[in-house]
Amino acid sequence: TVSCNDGVLLVTSGQPALGVRHFDVSEEGVTFARVVKQDCVVNYSFLCAHGVVAVQAGQTGTACRRGLPEGVGALRPIGWETCASDPGVEELHLAQSVLHQTWDVQMDANNLVKGCVGLHSGGIWPELHGDMANQKAALLARKAVAGGCPFFQNSNDRMARGHDFGSLFGIWVQGMQHEQGVRADMWARGVGRWGQEPTFLERMRDQASALTSLAFLAGASKENRTVAFCTFAEANCGKPAPFADGPQVFRHADVLNAVADPAQLRAYSTATVEQTETCFDPSLPLFASSGSPEHTQVRKLLDAAGFDRLHKQELPVIEDALPASLWQSLKSRLFGDATLSEKDVGKLVLPLVLQAVWEKKPSEDLVALSLDYLQYGKICIFGKKAEDLMLLNPINKPKVQKIREAVGAFASDSPRAEKFKTLIDKPEYAEVKAQYAARGRHPAEVLVANVADATLFAGVLGTTDMATKCVQYTRRDLSHLRLFRKDKASYLHELMRYDGAVTSVTTALKEKQRWKMEGRDVEFPPGTPVQMVLASANRDEAVFRHASEFNPDRADANESLAWNGRLEDVITRNYEGAPRLCPGYHVSVKIAEMVCEHLTKDLHSWGMKPSGVTDGDDLPLDGTVKILKKGRNQNRIAQISHVTRAGSYCVVDKAKRHSHLGCYAHSELEQLDHDSTFSRSLADELNRCPPFAQTAVTVVADLATSTYMSEWGVRWMIEKAIKKHAGTEHMTPDWAGPYVAPLYAAVLHGSLRTYKQRHADSVPIPMYTGRVEQFTIGSLTIPEFDIDNVWPEEDFEAYEDFVILPPYNCFQAMVRNAPFDDLLNHTDMNQWDLVMKDNAFARKKDWVLSWFKPYKTADGGEVWPDVEVDFASIFLKADMWDDELEKVMTFDLIGAHRVRATEKEFGGETLRYVINLNEFKDIPVRDNFGKFGNDMYFTENGIPAMIHTTDGREIGRGDKNWQYWKFAWRSSFLTIITLLDHLHMTHFRAGSTLAKAARATLSPNNPLRRLLSVFTFGTIDVNLGAAHTLVGPEHTLHRASPFRDFEDLSSVVPTLLEEPFALHAPLYADEAFDKLPELAKVSPYFADGKLLYGAIDRLVHKYFAVYEDGICKDGILSENSEAYLFTATLLASYQNAHYQSSLELDMTCSALKKRLSSIIWTVTGWHRHVGTVGDYYSDPELAAMSWKEGEAYSRPRQHMILAIITAFTAKKQPKLIEDYAHVFKGIDNEDLVVNIWEEFKQELDEISTLIDKRNSERKIKNYHQDPNIVECSVAV
């Protein structure tokens, strides 16, 4: 046992990131680890029990393993460990912060541990105690003594460290640890390049060790030097370790001090290895010490020659920069299945770099020859060591020299070389000129040759590496593609920090130093080469928060050392802070941006290519095309309808736009012009119908009519076929006629009785992106079909060729040609005493419902909407409607959003509230119908007291005509809400524009498209029907309502609509809510609506937060994002329909999120609020859409049409609270957004419970904001 006085060491092991921390132990338990096993969570704590340390295991969840105790667990002796690899363990989490043994900073609590978490006696490291600062000091001291990780005591400990890096990779790490020990042992004995001459055996051993190191760099680390160097750093816990011929240093502070040193010592070395003239001349500036006259002068000379302005010159487009033959070979790789190699990318980089540096375009032969430098130039890093190991051999050494000579010859007569030749003779460059003259050649010739070498080694190799990594990262991970497109420079800066092109630089010691190497004391003399590792310094957790995460927006980005100096100093060319900064930094980044952008242009940001793109030269097709594919449709002019997931273009005939011509590959079509969509009017729909179609429609209509109106013929057969209920009357010509009968038959038997309630699983995962042909009426345009409703292409073609019945739009255009007669002036027609003459019905409402109540939907539901409030049983008293009715309608149910405050003096009291409808009184109505309008004023308690009529009179409560004017007001009130707030605002202004823009601009895997798929489900289909039947003239709503110029009305109404964001302000803005009339504030709509709106707004913001980097740049919509195109399309739709809008393309992402929240609210909570009208329209004496002037009820014909509309538009749809997790399947961060949706559902559950509680206290229940009642879209 362990005494509580010793405390415990909490340790992470078995993984690269080691952690340690001392804890005092008390009787109060401290949770230190958490294990997840399926549905079981076990929390492990330590505590003091009877003077000794014990472990406590507490469990939660139903699936915990038997034997694990609840509450206080079994006591265990110290020396305890649990690992992520233990049987059944799914996740292991560290519950306390510990000190990172490599970077000497705190590792955050709740970290996922891939290795083990253990407890040890604090007595084994008594110095480690106290606060974090004291423990950090103890850690540093212990590491200094060990020359590595604090628990290293011997070579076996060091070798064992390799196991922490995995099974296979760990073997390599162990091998590296062994070889580093061998080198350290030789150095400790004074043997080395900078010490005594090694024996033959020692030389052989050194070469074997070097081969192992190179194999690790090139093989085990998969040629990723960042992986290799960071492994070196972590394996030795950040302490210096042997490299090739000198030590390597890992920590940011040490590396920064070296690269910022104005007197940094250099030698003729790279990678701590002596160089060879096969690769570099000794006079190359790379080997000149900082602050020396030669180094200072050559840097100034380069800037004088224009190196500080390289990036400002115009560079050619990619295809022009690359010779044609090389471009063709690259295209075959880029747009095939092969992965782009470094050489592929180099084909683009090399000519651009050469042209940028030398102001001269290289020949095709030079580019082809120089590409081999991408392979052999890297070998040059290891200089003489590479020669000793025959990596530089008689075969490739001549190739290196040939490339150097060819590029030098190319450069020698370039414009830049002419500048060098002029500058080198100036007095201010005397020392560097003398240095070059000592090489036995003309100084200018040496200068040009050196810059040519530097262009190859730093410019071509470095830029190609950067561009290659950019291409590979972005093609491998689309989140990287979005980050790159958001801010290219920031992306490359972070990429070079995260996985740099230049991973280390070689300096030299100025004076003798003694370091601990692999447990041995090694004395290094002055001039010893030292490898300063930029790769590990750029992953130093003490400098970069979450250093192993890729984040171009990180606040500490300027601390990156990727270009041989702090990034901020490099960008500003601050030679004091970064005396050896990369002189070609700016142009290198510019070229990498160009190349990476070009080689990823075929990629779609959210997982698909631009539709149909098969070749880098091809842009996506849209609009009008010619079919090239051989066959019956060859050379036909077509219009692109939509694009399949596989990238095929589905087209329709340009002249006969209803004719589907099939789906084609990009290469099988020729772009003609880019008119991307087309639309048809009502007249167009009728004109395109085939001659026989009218006959077909007439036959069907006559059959339906005969079923309900005829006393002879085939009626009995049809009744039997459709299972007509015996209790349903037959329609008679004196009120129904050839429009009402077939309409009723089609809706009841063709739609309602065959319908099954849809649920969340009805919402499809998007498969297509594109615009389809549109139907236009007034200022509204509605797509002809929804590309999210998936059907096989062959089925669609068969449907289009089906000639028995015309397509849907053609059918609708013909139906409206049925006779249109209101029958208001006939005493023997369209009268209630005629339809109720047998006294079978007590009230007109009973007769209306008799046509629906006997029938059920296919899944057993009612075809008439469920009754929520039986108004007649509560408010109809002695055939008079109580004034409480209008109060309830206005404040408790559908009208709260239209209440305005006023101070109207009438009848000796001040009326405080009003609903104004007289603004609509001038809308022309057909002959004999009552006019719409009337303003109703309410008392302070919400009781109606006066009506300002459409003819200017003020009718007070108690007036003999009070009941009539209340009916006229109720009917106007509900119709205005139905027409403006429900149909136009919700279905068209919010739903239709949102659905169209999402499908036209957002690819199927775009997360925004997936989210909006829920809230636009069924919208296009229902709105296409609504456009015909509810907006089109001489159709259903026109016949049920009194309006004369119905199509003109459809053009005027959009201009009357307030923007949703402004309309719904009281639900999200306290200032707007405070301005509401007092009774409106306490109305269920605003009280419950604020809850639901808030939940939707939080959903949108949480969802956006996951993907915002791919959508926004500096808080503004990124112009190259799909969200920008989506917003632009929304804005265009608003402008075309004359909708009010504050939407702007340069608006902040915060503003866009708020507007999306308001739109989603409009199609969900608001839709339910303004769209629930079944209880009103079931009763012709309660409210109607039309009435004969002077009558306080609707006529049978008009009300039956209204009832059909009401039943048809009340089919049950998926509810907001349902589980839509499947919609997010396969997108980036799927698990995260599914969790966000689950949190949203949980919040909706809480809201539903609260609304239930509120309704238990309400006289009139209102469930219109209950998430169990609210639909996910306007699909009905």
Side-chain angles (χ1 to χ4, degrees):
T1 60
V2 174
S3 169
C4 296
N5 294 331
D6 291 336
V8 293
L9 297 184
L10 176 60
V11 174
T12 60
S13 60
Q15 62 180 22
L18 302 180
V20 63
R21 181 181 173 187
H22 178 274
F23 286 87
D24 293 327
V25 183
S26 67
E27 293 181 358
E28 184 176 348
V30 175
T31 301
F32 64 89
R34 183 173 297 109
V35 172
V36 179
K37 300 183 178 185
Q38 294 183 346
D39 293 330
C40 174
V41 178
V42 183
N43 293 301
Y44 290 100
S45 306
F46 58 78
L47 72 162
C48 186
H50 308 294
V52 298
V53 178
V55 175
Q56 171 179 296
Q59 64 185 30
T60 58
T62 58
C64 288
R65 187 181 62 219
R66 289 183 180 179
L68 279 176
E70 297 284 353
V72 176
L75 299 181
R76 305 180 182 199
I78 203 66
W80 179 94
E81 185 177 72
T82 185
C83 300
S85 59
D86 289 347
V89 173
E90 294 181 355
E91 293 182 0
L92 172 60
H93 294 267
L94 185 66
Q96 298 291 330
S97 61
V98 294
L99 278 172
H100 200 301
Q101 294 185 36
T102 297
W103 307 117
D104 314 320
V105 294
Q106 286 191 56
M107 295 171 62
D108 292 337
N110 299 317
N111 265 348
L112 188 67
V113 176
K114 296 181 179 179
C116 303
V117 175
L119 286 179
H120 301 273
S121 169
I124 66 175
W125 192 350
E127 299 85 1
L128 193 73
H129 65 276
D131 61 20
M132 277 294 195
N134 287 334
Q135 294 197 39
K136 178 179 177 180
L139 174 63
L140 292 172
R142 186 78 168 258
K143 287 169 62 175
V145 171
C149 298
F151 292 104
F152 285 174
Q153 294 183 359
N154 52 49
S155 60
N156 290 335
D157 293 337
R158 298 175 191 279
M159 291 292 293
R161 175 73 167 123
H163 294 302
D164 295 340
F165 291 83
S167 54
L168 184 60
F169 189 58
I171 295 173
W172 279 98
V173 176
Q174 283 185 297
M176 285 306 307
Q177 292 285 83
H178 175 72
E179 295 308 321
Q180 288 179 342
V182 169
R183 304 185 84 73
D185 181 68
M186 291 174 58
W187 296 349
R189 292 185 285 106
V191 177
R193 172 185 161 197
W194 29 263
Q196 66 187 40
E197 188 70 19
T199 67
F200 175 77
L201 290 177
E202 288 172 335
R203 186 177 295 110
M204 292 300 99
R205 189 68 190 83
D206 176 71
Q207 290 186 5
S209 179
L211 275 174
T212 303
S213 298
L214 290 173
F216 180 77
L217 286 168
S221 61
K222 299 180 180 179
E223 298 186 2
N224 189 297
R225 298 185 304 281
T226 296
V227 171
F229 280 121
C230 288
T231 301
F232 286 144
E234 288 190 302
N236 208 41
C237 289
K239 298 301 290 182
F243 190 46
D245 286 342
Q248 52 185 331
V249 176
F250 305 111
R251 297 302 302 270
H252 186 278
D254 299 324
V255 177
L256 175 59
N257 285 339
V259 298
D261 185 357
Q264 181 194 119
L265 188 65
R266 286 285 177 113
Y268 187 46
S269 300
T270 55
T272 69
V273 173
E274 185 178 359
Q275 261 303 331
T276 169
E277 292 193 35
T278 298
C279 297
F280 305 107
D281 190 272
S283 64
L284 191 72
L286 178 68
F287 308 117
S289 297
S290 302
S292 67
E294 294 81 4
H295 183 262
T296 301
Q297 289 178 16
V298 78
R299 295 303 298 259
K300 290 181 178 179
L301 188 151
L302 290 175
D303 282 351
F307 265 64
D308 59 346
R309 304 179 297 281
L310 290 179
H311 59 292
K312 295 182 179 180
Q313 60 186 318
E314 288 294 325
L315 292 176
V317 295
I318 297 292
E319 291 87 340
D320 291 341
L322 188 68
S325 61
L326 290 176
W327 171 239
Q328 291 302 320
S329 67
L330 174 61
K331 277 178 29 176
S332 66
R333 300 219 1 122
L334 172 58
F335 302 108
D337 295 328
T339 301
L340 288 173
S341 68
E342 186 176 53
K343 194 168 185 177
D344 292 326
V345 178
K347 291 176 182 179
L348 300 183
V349 171
L350 194 148
L352 289 170
V353 170
L354 292 182
Q355 184 156 344
V357 172
W358 299 108
E359 303 175 288
K360 177 184 176 183
K361 184 175 181 178
S363 68
E364 184 171 336
D365 290 340
L366 178 63
V367 172
L369 171 68
S370 302
L371 283 172
D372 283 339
Y373 193 86
L374 295 173
Q375 176 183 353
Y376 303 126
K378 292 178 182 177
I379 300 175
C380 281
I381 294 172
F382 296 98
K384 286 192 173 180
K385 191 78 70 176
E387 289 182 330
D388 294 342
L389 297 172
M390 294 299 290
L391 298 175
L392 279 174
N393 53 54
I395 296 176
N396 56 30
K397 284 174 69 172
K399 292 184 178 180
V400 172
Q401 291 171 326
K402 184 177 181 181
I403 294 170
R404 291 178 62 205
E405 290 169 359
V407 173
F410 159 78
S412 62
D413 62 351
S414 68
R416 191 80 62 192
E418 294 304 315
K419 296 174 184 176
F420 286 153
K421 294 171 185 177
T422 300
L423 290 168
I424 195 67
D425 289 326
K426 291 190 174 183
E428 55 264 39
Y429 308 117
E431 282 82 0
V432 73
K433 179 179 179 180
Q435 179 193 22
Y436 292 163
R439 300 300 299 157
R441 291 184 292 165
H442 192 281
E445 183 182 338
V446 177
L447 173 60
V448 170
N450 280 345
V451 176
D453 284 342
T455 302
L456 285 168
F457 184 66
V460 173
L461 280 185
T463 308
T464 300
D465 187 277
M466 175 166 47
T468 300
K469 286 171 177 170
C470 179
V471 171
Q472 292 177 346
Y473 273 74
T474 52
R475 294 184 76 88
R476 184 170 62 232
D477 185 343
L478 292 175
S479 66
H480 275 260
L481 179 65
R482 294 190 290 275
L483 291 173
F484 172 69
R485 289 177 175 173
K486 176 186 175 184
D487 188 329
K488 298 179 180 63
S490 294
Y491 178 86
L492 292 176
H493 291 159
E494 174 67 356
L495 181 62
M496 291 298 93
R497 181 202 69 83
Y498 185 81
D499 190 3
V502 180
T503 50
S504 60
V505 296
T506 309
T507 66
L509 292 179
K510 299 178 186 177
E511 55 189 21
K512 180 175 67 178
Q513 292 190 20
R514 181 177 293 274
W515 290 357
K516 182 77 75 172
M517 290 274 114
E518 299 294 306
R520 301 164 179 84
D521 289 322
V522 179
E523 185 177 281
F524 294 111
T528 299
V530 179
Q531 202 68 8
M532 293 293 171
V533 183
L534 305 176
S536 59
N538 286 332
R539 295 288 191 97
D540 193 329
E541 293 279 354
V543 177
F544 301 98
R545 179 157 178 77
H546 302 306
S548 295
E549 295 180 4
F550 191 95
N551 178 15
D553 296 325
R554 60 173 56 252
D556 42 36
N558 281 329
E559 300 306 316
S560 172
L561 304 178
W563 280 275
N564 211 9
R566 286 181 66 253
L567 179 60
E568 184 175 24
D569 293 327
V570 173
I571 293 174
T572 59
R573 300 186 73 85
N574 174 20
Y575 283 111
E576 291 185 4
R580 304 191 71 93
L581 63 87
C582 173
Y585 151 79
H586 287 96
V587 75
S588 177
V589 170
K590 179 179 180 178
I591 291 172
E593 286 181 10
M594 292 173 60
V595 171
C596 189
E597 180 176 29
H598 189 77
L599 294 182
T600 57
K601 70 179 183 180
D602 67 311
L603 296 181
H604 196 287
S605 297
W606 296 105
M608 295 179 64
K609 292 181 179 180
S611 305
V613 172
T614 57
D615 191 300
D617 290 332
D618 294 332
L619 296 175
L621 299 173
D622 63 0
T624 305
V625 294
K626 182 167 73 173
I627 299 173
L628 303 179
K629 184 179 180 180
K630 291 183 178 180
R632 61 175 183 155
N633 292 328
Q634 186 175 14
N635 295 324
R636 289 181 73 171
I637 306 302
Q639 185 83 30
I640 291 177
S641 168
H642 63 284
V643 187
T644 70
R645 174 170 285 184
S648 297
Y649 293 91
C650 300
V651 299
V652 295
D653 189 279
K654 178 73 172 179
K656 302 175 182 178
R657 288 170 172 167
H658 64 286
S659 178
H660 179 72
L661 300 180
C663 301
Y664 299 85
H666 187 287
S667 59
E668 296 170 337
L669 300 171
E670 176 186 341
Q671 180 77 66
L672 297 182
D673 59 71
H674 293 274
D675 55 324
S676 57
T677 58
F678 48 82
S679 60
R680 288 187 292 270
S681 66
L682 290 172
D684 293 333
E685 293 295 338
L686 190 58
N687 291 335
R688 76 175 187 148
C689 296
F692 60 81
Q694 183 65 65
T695 302
V697 173
T698 301
V699 170
V700 172
D702 286 348
L703 286 173
T705 302
S706 69
T707 306
Y708 283 94
M709 297 183 64
S710 177
E711 298 294 334
W712 52 270
V714 297
R715 187 187 75 193
W716 67 272
M717 291 189 300
I718 300 175
E719 286 184 359
K720 186 173 182 179
I722 65 174
K723 298 181 180 179
K724 177 181 177 294
H725 195 277
T728 305
E729 289 190 344
H730 291 105
M731 295 182 178
T732 56
D734 57 8
W735 70 269
Y739 179 86
V740 176
L743 176 68
Y744 170 77
V747 169
L748 179 68
H749 301 295
S751 178
L752 296 178
R753 293 182 65 188
T754 60
Y755 181 76
K756 293 182 179 180
Q757 180 176 354
R758 295 190 286 185
H759 294 284
D761 57 4
S762 299
V763 178
I765 297 175
M767 294 183 66
Y768 307 109
T769 301
R771 294 173 169 83
V772 302
E773 50 188 325
Q774 299 183 120
F775 168 69
T776 298
I777 181 166
S779 60
L780 304 176
T781 56
I782 298 90
E784 296 238 334
F785 62 89
D786 186 354
I787 59 177
D788 274 2
N789 286 346
V790 182
W791 58 81
E793 290 163 13
E794 61 271 17
D795 289 353
F796 178 61
E797 186 169 3
Y799 166 74
E800 288 288 355
D801 291 337
F802 188 60
V803 296
I804 297 177
L805 282 176
Y808 179 78
N809 288 350
C810 177
F811 176 83
Q812 293 287 359
M814 290 181 172
V815 168
R816 63 171 49 90
N817 282 338
F820 188 170
D821 189 341
D822 294 320
L823 297 181
L824 288 189
N825 291 330
H826 301 267
T827 57
D828 59 345
M829 302 181 75
N830 198 19
Q831 298 284 348
W832 284 106
D833 57 352
L834 295 174
V835 300
M836 298 179 67
K837 59 186 176 182
D838 295 331
N839 295 317
F841 307 103
R843 297 187 63 243
K844 300 176 178 66
K845 173 183 177 180
D846 301 326
W847 177 84
V848 171
L849 293 180
S850 72
W851 295 93
F852 300 95
K853 284 297 184 180
Y855 297 102
K856 302 291 184 182
T857 62
D859 53 358
E862 299 288 338
V863 298
W864 186 262
D866 295 335
V867 177
E868 295 182 3
V869 181
D870 185 349
F871 290 105
S873 67
I874 301 172
F875 302 111
L876 187 61
K877 301 173 181 178
D879 292 332
M880 304 280 284
W881 290 101
D882 191 278
D883 293 338
E884 282 283 332
L885 170 62
E886 287 76 21
K887 176 185 178 182
V888 166
M889 291 175 61
T890 300
F891 296 100
D892 296 332
L893 294 173
I894 199 170
H897 65 282
R898 284 193 167 269
V899 176
R900 300 293 180 265
T902 188
E903 291 189 2
K904 174 75 172 178
E905 296 297 328
F906 181 81
E909 66 177 322
T910 302
L911 306 182
R912 300 294 184 184
Y913 306 104
V914 64
I915 287 187
N916 296 307
L917 300 180
N918 273 333
E919 58 184 306
F920 304 105
K921 65 183 177 62
D922 294 328
I923 298 176
V925 296
R926 300 192 296 278
D927 292 344
N928 301 309
F929 279 112
K931 295 184 67 175
F932 264 66
N934 305 299
D935 298 338
M936 179 171 280
Y937 289 83
F938 301 82
T939 68
E940 189 171 11
N941 295 323
I943 301 299
M946 186 268 283
I947 297 175
H948 185 187
T949 67
T950 53
D951 57 8
R953 291 180 292 159
E954 292 185 346
I955 304 296
R957 187 169 56 237
D959 188 278
K960 65 178 180 178
N961 294 319
W962 180 242
Q963 288 292 320
Y964 168 76
W965 286 111
K966 286 207 304 176
F967 172 80
W969 179 85
R970 290 194 303 269
S971 298
S972 299
F973 177 50
L974 289 169
T975 301
I976 293 303
I977 288 177
T978 299
L979 185 63
L980 268 71
D981 300 339
H982 180 198
L983 180 61
H984 279 274
M985 168 62 83
T986 310
H987 279 263
F988 295 121
R989 197 323 179 167
S992 185
T993 56
L994 189 67
K996 286 193 301 179
R999 286 152 179 74
T1001 62
L1002 302 175
S1003 58
N1005 285 343
N1006 187 308
L1008 184 56
R1009 172 74 176 277
R1010 293 295 186 93
L1011 178 67
L1012 295 181
S1013 294
V1014 176
F1015 301 111
T1016 59
F1017 166 68
T1019 297
I1020 289 175
D1021 291 336
V1022 75
N1023 284 352
L1024 179 61
H1028 280 292
T1029 60
L1030 305 183
V1031 179
E1034 301 184 14
H1035 218 321
T1036 312
L1037 190 60
H1038 191 187
R1039 295 170 188 256
S1041 69
F1043 305 116
R1044 179 186 299 160
D1045 304 316
F1046 208 68
E1047 191 165 8
D1048 290 344
L1049 187 64
S1050 299
S1051 297
V1052 172
V1053 167
T1055 65
L1056 305 176
L1057 303 180
E1058 191 174 3
E1059 182 189 27
F1061 183 62
L1063 174 65
H1064 304 314
L1067 296 173
Y1068 63 82
D1070 290 342
E1071 182 180 356
F1073 180 81
D1074 291 341
K1075 294 179 181 178
L1076 289 174
E1078 291 304 315
L1079 280 185
K1081 290 180 182 178
V1082 297
S1083 68
Y1085 168 69
F1086 284 108
D1088 299 347
K1090 290 184 73 171
L1091 299 175
L1092 187 55
Y1093 191 104
I1096 290 170
D1097 190 51
R1098 283 185 287 277
L1099 168 70
V1100 171
H1101 279 74
K1102 287 180 181 178
Y1103 194 90
F1104 252 74
V1106 178
Y1107 303 104
E1108 196 153 352
D1109 283 346
I1111 297 173
C1112 304
K1113 180 179 180 181
D1114 299 328
I1116 304 294
L1117 268 177
S1118 178
E1119 291 188 14
N1120 57 8
S1121 70
E1122 288 188 351
Y1124 184 88
L1125 185 58
F1126 163 76
T1127 307
T1129 304
L1130 266 184
L1131 183 58
S1133 295
Y1134 296 157
Q1135 293 172 342
N1136 291 339
H1138 308 295
Y1139 292 134
Q1140 300 177 36
S1141 175
S1142 62
L1143 196 66
E1144 297 175 353
L1145 288 179
D1146 60 351
M1147 74 188 329
T1148 65
C1149 284
S1150 174
L1152 176 62
K1153 285 181 282 189
K1154 292 175 182 177
R1155 278 153 182 80
L1156 274 180
S1157 295
S1158 71
I1159 296 172
I1160 292 173
W1161 161 259
T1162 303
V1163 300
T1164 54
W1166 169 265
H1167 178 238
R1168 170 52 66 170
H1169 169 61
V1170 297
T1172 307
V1173 294
D1175 290 341
Y1176 303 107
Y1177 288 147
S1178 64
D1179 193 335
E1181 297 168 285
L1182 173 62
M1185 278 195 172
S1186 64
W1187 64 97
K1188 185 175 182 181
E1189 190 170 6
E1191 295 178 351
Y1193 50 81
S1194 177
R1195 289 290 185 92
R1197 168 173 285 192
Q1198 284 72 32
H1199 209 85
M1200 176 55 76
I1201 296 174
L1202 175 58
I1204 294 169
I1205 296 173
T1206 302
F1208 182 71
T1209 58
K1211 292 183 289 188
K1212 294 181 179 179
Q1213 301 296 335
K1215 303 304 180 184
L1216 185 60
I1217 204 168
E1218 294 185 42
D1219 185 2
Y1220 298 91
H1222 70 281
V1223 174
F1224 309 106
K1225 184 176 178 60
I1227 64 172
D1228 285 354
N1229 296 301
E1230 175 186 345
D1231 291 343
L1232 186 56
V1233 297
V1234 167
N1235 286 337
I1236 289 173
W1237 189 271
E1238 186 60 34
E1239 291 172 2
F1240 177 58
K1241 281 183 57 189
Q1242 291 173 4
E1243 188 172 0
L1244 296 184
D1245 272 327
E1246 295 169 1
I1247 291 172
S1248 180
T1249 301
L1250 180 55
I1251 291 176
D1252 269 340
K1253 183 176 182 299
R1254 289 176 175 178
N1255 275 319
S1256 68
E1257 301 168 359
R1258 292 169 178 161
K1259 179 180 177 181
I1260 301 296
K1261 315 302 183 190
N1262 186 329
Y1263 290 96
H1264 298 164
Q1265 305 310 316
D1266 186 336
N1268 281 297
I1269 302 299
V1270 174
E1271 290 86 2
C1272 70
S1273 69
V1274 298
V1276 61

